[in-house]
Amino acid sequence: MSEDGHPAPILTAHRAGLLGCRSCGRVWPQDRQTCDRCGADLVPPDRRGLQKVWAWWAAGLIMYVPANLFPMMRTQTFAGLQGSSEATILQGVVELMHYGNYDIAIIVFVASVVVPVAKFLAIAWLAMVAGRPATVEQAHTRLKIYEVVEFIGRWSMIDVFVVAILSALVQLGFVASIHPGPAAVSFALSVAFTMLSAQSFDPRLIWRGLPLRSRTATEGQD
Amino acid sequence: MDARDRIDLTTGRGLMACPRCDALHVEEELQPGETARCIRCGGVLAKPRGGAFTQLIALSFTSMVLMMGAVFFPFLEISRMGFGNATSLFGVGMAFADGVLLPLVLAVMVMIVGLPVLRAFLLVYTLTPLAQGRAPYRHAARAFRWSELMRPWSMAEIFVIGTAVALIKVAGLATVHLGPAFWAFCALILVNVASRGFMCQTTIWDAIEDAGLPTDGREMVEGRNG
C-alpha cells in the first residue's frame, strides 16, 4: 500500500509477453495452455472472460426473483389454531418490525436484501468498467470492491442455514413447527451463481487499461 | 543481484505474477515471518511461517476429529410444554428432504461437512511428505489446487453463525440445550482460524516444485480438467 504511485515503471506479465497462472502465480510463455506447476488452465487477462461473469450473474439474478416471491419458511403454532404463517424474506422483516424487534429486523434486512442487491450492482459495474482505462486510485478502489464482493458472497448462505436449523429443530408437534419453503432453494442457487460470477471475474482486467508508468510521474518529468 | 541471472523473460523462470494485478516480480527466498507484497496492488504474495507445514497437518487432523464428533453427537435440543425435539447435524441437512428442496440436502451436507473434511484430507496428503523433506505423493499439485478451489464452498464457519442466528430466533419460543456437536463445531472454527494464519499458498507451491514433483509432459496433459 505504501508503494502507491510507484515512480519506476511496472512490468506486467502481459506486457512482457508472458502469462501468469492465476492459481499459483508461476509465469509461463504466452502460448502455454496449462500451468506445469499446479495443473490449472492458463487464461490470458482479456475481456472474453467477462462472458462467463455475465452468464452466472444473469442466472443469479433470475434465481433471486423466486427467492423473494415464494415463502422462505412456514411457521405453524398450536396446530394452526393460533395461525400458520408463510413469510417471504420481506414479509419476515415486516413481521419482525411489527413485533418491535427493530434491531434484528435491520440485521435480517441488510443480510438478505441489501447485501445481495449490492452484490449484483457491484459485479455488474466491475464487469462494465473492466479493461477501461482508469487512474491508479480508481483501480485500487475497484480491487477493494472486488475483494469485498468475493469475501461477502458466501456469507449470504447464512439464510439457508438458518432455515435448515429452524426447520430441523422446531418440530414440537402440536405446539409449534417450522417447515422450509421453496424460496430456500432458489435463494441458495442465487447465492451460488453470484459466487461463481464473482469467481469468474479476473481482477487483472481492472489493471489492464492502466498506463505502465503512473501518470503523475510522467507528467512531472515533462 | 544474482537474481538477475536466474530470471528468464522468455520462459518466465524465476518470475512470479501477482494473481490480482499481473505485475511481474522476481522470486526470492523469504525468511519465516517475512511478508512479500505486490508492488502494484499491495496484495500479499507470500507469507511463510516457521514450521507451518507441521502445524497445518496437526490442525487438519484436529479438524477431522472434531468433525467426526460434530456429526455423531447431538447438535441442539429444544423443549416447551413437555414437547421436545433434538436434532443432529444430519437432521439439519435432512430438513430439506421433501419435494423440490431435496437437492439442498446434498448441498448443505457437502458445504458444512463434506468439503471441510475433504480439504483437511487433501492438505494432509499434500503436506505430509513435504514436512518430512521427501518427494511429494503423486498428484500432490492437483490435490492442493482442488483444496484451494473448494475453499470458498466450505462453509462451516458460516453455519456456526447461522446457528447463532437461529438460536436467537428460537430463544423466545422454547428452551434450547446446546449439545456436544455444537461445541465441537465452535472449536472447529477456532482451528480453521489458526490454520489460516499458517497458510501460505506460494510457499506450498514452491515446496511442491522444489521437492521435485514426479511429472512428465504426458501427465500434465491428462491433468487438465475442463
Side-chain angles (χ1 to χ4, degrees):
Chain A
M1 298 294 176
S2 57
E3 304 281 333
D4 276 0
H6 202 264
I10 293 163
L11 185 61
T12 65
H14 183 75
R15 306 249 186 187
L18 295 164
L19 199 49
C21 174
R22 269 191 76 192
S23 160
C24 72
R26 190 85 157 74
V27 179
W28 300 100
Q30 221 157 26
D31 52 354
R32 272 291 178 115
Q33 302 290 317
T34 358
C35 174
D36 260 6
R37 177 157 77 167
C38 68
D41 285 347
L42 294 172
V43 254
D46 56 30
R47 288 178 61 91
R48 265 178 299 171
L50 290 177
Q51 287 182 1
K52 228 169 148 185
V53 178
W54 284 117
W56 287 122
W57 184 86
L61 193 63
I62 290 167
M63 275 305 164
Y64 191 60
V65 175
N68 278 288
L69 293 181
F70 288 110
M72 202 71 171
M73 52 188 178
R74 202 173 74 239
T75 317
Q76 213 168 30
T77 37
F78 293 102
L81 291 176
Q82 215 182 58
S84 113
S85 65
E86 289 193 331
T88 63
I89 293 173
L90 272 176
Q91 282 167 348
V93 175
V94 172
E95 208 171 300
L96 280 171
M97 281 166 68
H98 184 73
Y99 289 123
N101 292 329
Y102 288 102
D103 37 359
I104 300 179
I106 288 169
I107 294 173
V108 173
F109 184 71
V110 168
S112 354
V113 181
V114 176
V115 169
V117 171
K119 226 162 43 184
F120 283 121
L121 292 177
I123 297 175
W125 179 71
L126 280 173
M128 276 192 295
V129 299
R132 302 249 184 89
T135 64
V136 178
E137 289 75 33
Q138 280 173 328
H140 275 289
T141 317
R142 290 178 193 177
L143 186 69
K144 187 118 292 162
I145 289 172
Y146 168 73
E147 279 172 351
V148 169
V149 167
E150 227 197 1
F151 171 80
I152 227 159
R154 42 207 295 276
W155 285 92
S156 296
M157 212 53 112
I158 205 168
D159 274 5
V160 180
F161 292 147
V162 169
V163 171
I165 295 162
L166 285 178
S167 342
L169 196 57
V170 184
Q171 294 295 341
L172 296 175
F174 175 74
V175 181
S177 64
I178 293 179
H179 298 281
V185 76
S186 40
F187 192 83
L189 281 176
S190 172
V191 173
F193 290 155
T194 326
M195 279 172 70
L196 286 167
S197 175
Q199 283 171 19
S200 320
F201 183 78
D202 188 344
R204 293 176 302 181
L205 277 175
I206 293 173
W207 308 82
R208 263 302 291 279
L210 253 62
L212 279 181
R213 201 180 287 268
S214 87
R215 193 152 282 165
T216 45
T218 34
E219 277 168 5
Q221 281 170 357
D222 285 343
Chain B
M1 283 304 110
D2 20 302
R4 294 266 175 263
D5 307 325
R6 285 193 292 110
I7 65 168
D8 189 339
L9 268 176
T10 51
T11 62
R13 190 165 52 90
L15 292 168
M16 181 184 178
C18 173
R20 280 167 296 267
C21 70
D22 212 29
L24 273 182
H25 300 82
V26 176
E27 268 185 1
E28 268 173 50
E29 291 290 324
L30 293 183
Q31 295 303 311
E34 281 184 316
T35 303
R37 283 180 179 278
C38 173
I39 54 161
R40 195 183 205 190
C41 69
V44 174
L45 293 174
K47 195 180 173 187
R49 292 284 172 267
F53 290 1
T54 323
Q55 300 275 9
L56 281 171
I57 293 169
L59 289 168
S60 297
F61 268 119
T62 316
S63 75
M64 279 194 258
V65 171
L66 284 171
M67 193 57 98
M68 290 298 150
V71 168
F72 291 110
F73 282 109
F75 185 53
L76 296 168
E77 197 183 334
I78 59 168
S79 55
R80 190 194 176 190
M81 294 183 180
F83 290 91
N85 183 44
T87 182
S88 66
L89 217 52
F90 274 115
V92 173
M94 293 311 278
F96 292 119
D98 56 332
V100 287
L101 302 173
L102 201 59
L104 259 191
V105 176
L106 189 68
V108 166
M109 290 319 286
V110 164
M111 285 188 293
I112 60 181
V113 179
L115 289 182
V117 169
L118 189 56
R119 279 199 65 211
F121 172 77
L122 288 175
L123 209 56
V124 169
Y125 180 87
T126 312
L127 292 180
T128 308
L130 295 178
Q132 295 167 343
R134 291 190 283 119
Y137 294 132
R138 275 170 63 89
H139 306 302
R142 202 186 306 177
F144 184 59
R145 183 164 56 89
W146 281 1
S147 146
E148 284 303 298
L149 285 177
M150 288 168 198
R151 175 196 290 278
W153 303 97
S154 138
M155 299 191 178
E157 72 270 29
I158 298 170
F159 181 73
V160 170
I161 304 295
T163 314
V165 174
L167 288 181
I168 293 171
K169 285 192 173 179
V170 166
L173 194 72
T175 325
V176 186
H177 307 280
L178 305 171
F182 176 80
W183 298 113
F185 237 100
C186 291
L188 198 71
I189 302 318
L190 296 179
V191 170
N192 282 355
V193 169
S195 168
R196 198 160 303 168
F198 284 108
M199 188 64 156
C200 168
Q201 287 86 353
T202 316
T203 318
I204 295 178
W205 283 123
D206 283 342
I208 291 175
E209 193 177 35
D210 292 346
L213 188 65
T215 54
D216 49 25
R218 190 172 49 87
E219 191 175 329
M220 293 322 293
V221 176
E222 284 173 3
R224 284 187 62 190
N225 59 335

